[in-house]
Amino acid sequence: MNFEITSHLCGNRLAQWRNLIGASALVADRCAERTLLVFDDDKLIATGGRDGCILKLIAVDKDHRGEDLTASVLTELRRDAFAEGYSHLFLYTKPENRYMFESLFFYPVVESESVLVMENKQNGIAQFLDTLPEPPVHGEVGAIVMNCNPFTLGHRYLIERAAAECQRVFVFVLSEEKSEFSAADRLEMVKRGTADIPNVTVLSSGPYLISSATFPSYFLKDRDRARGAACEVDIEIFIRHLAPRLSITRRYVGTEPLSDLTAEYNAALKEKLPRAGIEVREIERLSEHDAPISASLVRELIKKRDVDALSRLVPLTTLEYLQQRKYI
């Protein structure tokens, strides 16, 4: 057997990879950032992919199953990930594959009807929860999950509304590196932009709050079902792990007139969280000139270096940060 890892599939290798993925009942909109190919002579008999810390698109030719090729694929993908500085890895699979991957030292994080999230660190999520602050003893505790790419007056308005109604508000800023601004930049902008609100605590989401940008839907052929599954996994992690640890009683979201996916996610929150005893409060988006303030518009203005227009859409702390970091 020959092993090959590549960041660019093309020609015959791409055709073989597509055939193997399709024969394994997987659906790939695109290749992974890194793809492992396992050949027996010139025949592709196994493959696996990696996007950052996420392992995905693992498939073995039907004539070679039972040869421990899945273990070999995971070993090579782990080695490649470690070489690039990724030690904490995640794997998304169907629930029926749980025992196979448990035997290969992956541990369940959360399971929905159609998706099982696993990680290679035993008790990893428990260790993450141990890093979180202690919740208040009584009173309403709110939570907001934000990307803040970058932090706008709209984000600030939602946080202010939650802070006025709760004893403590935990703001989780997504940690994934799939945005124009780095996770460190986004986290810092939110911390600076809320430093004057004493009952707000800003936290990094860590790897456990999942966005549509990272959720791998390759094993769900129904695209609409895949979007719903992304919501399910994220909400299950919030209900089972984060909310109990921080005594969260309310989740705040903004109305979403611009993104169908976010609107669908908000609807799922309103359906599922109350069943777990968590109230969902949907706050009308802050507008400027009758249009909702959006981070995408802010990014366009940053490219144009339109400081006057930006000053009407972002807090002074964000404007100063953008200037300090030479974004404008």
Side-chain angles (χ1 to χ4, degrees), residues 40-293:
D40 183 6
D41 292 328
D42 292 329
K43 181 183 180 182
L44 181 65
I45 60 173
T47 186
R50 178 176 64 82
D51 283 340
C53 65
I54 297 175
L55 307 186
K56 59 192 297 185
L57 293 166
I58 297 168
V60 175
D61 181 84
K62 61 181 178 60
D63 295 330
H64 291 268
R65 290 169 188 168
E67 299 178 10
D68 290 330
L69 282 173
T70 299
S72 298
V73 167
L74 288 178
T75 296
E76 294 300 319
L77 288 174
R78 278 170 160 150
R79 183 178 292 120
D80 185 62
F82 294 165
E84 292 194 0
Y86 296 100
S87 59
H88 190 184
L89 304 177
F90 290 83
L91 185 150
Y92 297 73
T93 188
K94 298 176 182 178
E96 57 261 35
N97 293 332
R98 173 177 183 147
Y99 297 111
M100 176 181 69
F101 286 110
E102 279 185 331
S103 70
L104 298 172
F105 305 103
F106 276 81
Y107 306 94
V109 175
V110 73
E111 182 177 337
S112 70
E113 179 182 339
S114 54
V115 180
L116 171 64
V117 183
M118 308 187 79
E119 61 183 338
N120 68 335
K121 182 186 292 187
Q122 191 170 19
N123 300 319
I125 193 163
Q127 294 172 28
F128 170 72
L129 295 175
D130 285 343
T131 69
L132 300 178
E134 289 301 313
V137 176
H138 54 79
E140 298 290 350
V141 180
I144 307 173
V145 180
M146 293 178 157
N147 193 31
C148 300
N149 186 37
F151 186 61
T152 70
L153 286 172
H155 296 123
R156 164 86 186 193
Y157 175 73
L158 181 60
I159 293 170
E160 287 175 337
R161 286 289 304 269
E165 298 176 359
C166 297
Q167 180 178 350
R168 172 66 54 184
V169 176
F170 294 104
V171 178
F172 290 93
V173 182
L174 292 177
S175 300
E176 62 169 1
E177 298 290 359
K178 296 287 185 180
S179 302
E180 284 82 350
F181 291 93
S182 70
D185 278 343
R186 290 182 285 105
L187 184 66
E188 183 62 21
M189 282 187 275
V190 180
K191 285 183 174 181
R192 293 188 186 192
T194 58
D196 61 317
I197 310 177
N199 61 333
V200 169
T201 300
V202 180
L203 301 167
S204 169
S205 71
Y208 294 104
L209 286 174
I210 303 154
S211 81
S212 60
T214 59
F215 183 81
S217 56
Y218 55 87
F219 48 83
L220 298 170
K221 292 186 177 182
D222 184 328
R223 298 292 88 183
D224 290 336
R225 182 71 192 93
R227 295 202 326 178
C231 297
E232 287 175 11
V233 168
D234 186 74
I235 293 169
E236 282 297 309
I237 289 175
F238 185 82
I239 289 173
R240 294 178 181 272
H241 298 290
L242 290 174
R245 171 63 178 79
L246 294 171
S247 302
I248 293 166
T249 57
R250 288 180 184 165
R251 176 93 175 245
Y252 286 81
V253 298
T255 54
E256 186 45 73
L258 303 176
S259 168
D260 290 341
L261 179 59
T262 304
E264 179 182 335
Y265 179 70
N266 287 354
L269 286 173
K270 288 185 284 187
E271 177 189 351
K272 296 177 182 297
L273 262 58
R275 299 176 188 170
I278 303 167
E279 181 185 359
V280 178
R281 292 212 171 175
E282 191 171 27
I283 306 300
E284 188 71 28
R285 288 268 295 269
L286 186 66
S287 296
E288 169 72 12
H289 297 310
D290 297 323
I293 294 177

Side-chain angles (χ1 to χ4, degrees), residues 147-152 155 178-182 186 189 258 293-306 309-310 313-314 318 322 327-328:
N147 193 31
C148 300
N149 186 37
F151 186 61
T152 70
H155 296 123
K178 296 287 185 180
S179 302
E180 284 82 350
F181 291 93
S182 70
R186 290 182 285 105
M189 282 187 275
L258 303 176
I293 294 177
S294 71
S296 58
L297 173 58
V298 169
R299 293 194 297 273
E300 290 177 11
L301 295 173
I302 290 171
K303 292 177 182 177
K304 297 176 181 178
R305 298 182 178 273
D306 190 340
L310 283 169
L313 301 179
V314 302
T318 295
L322 294 172
Y327 287 111
I328 54 175

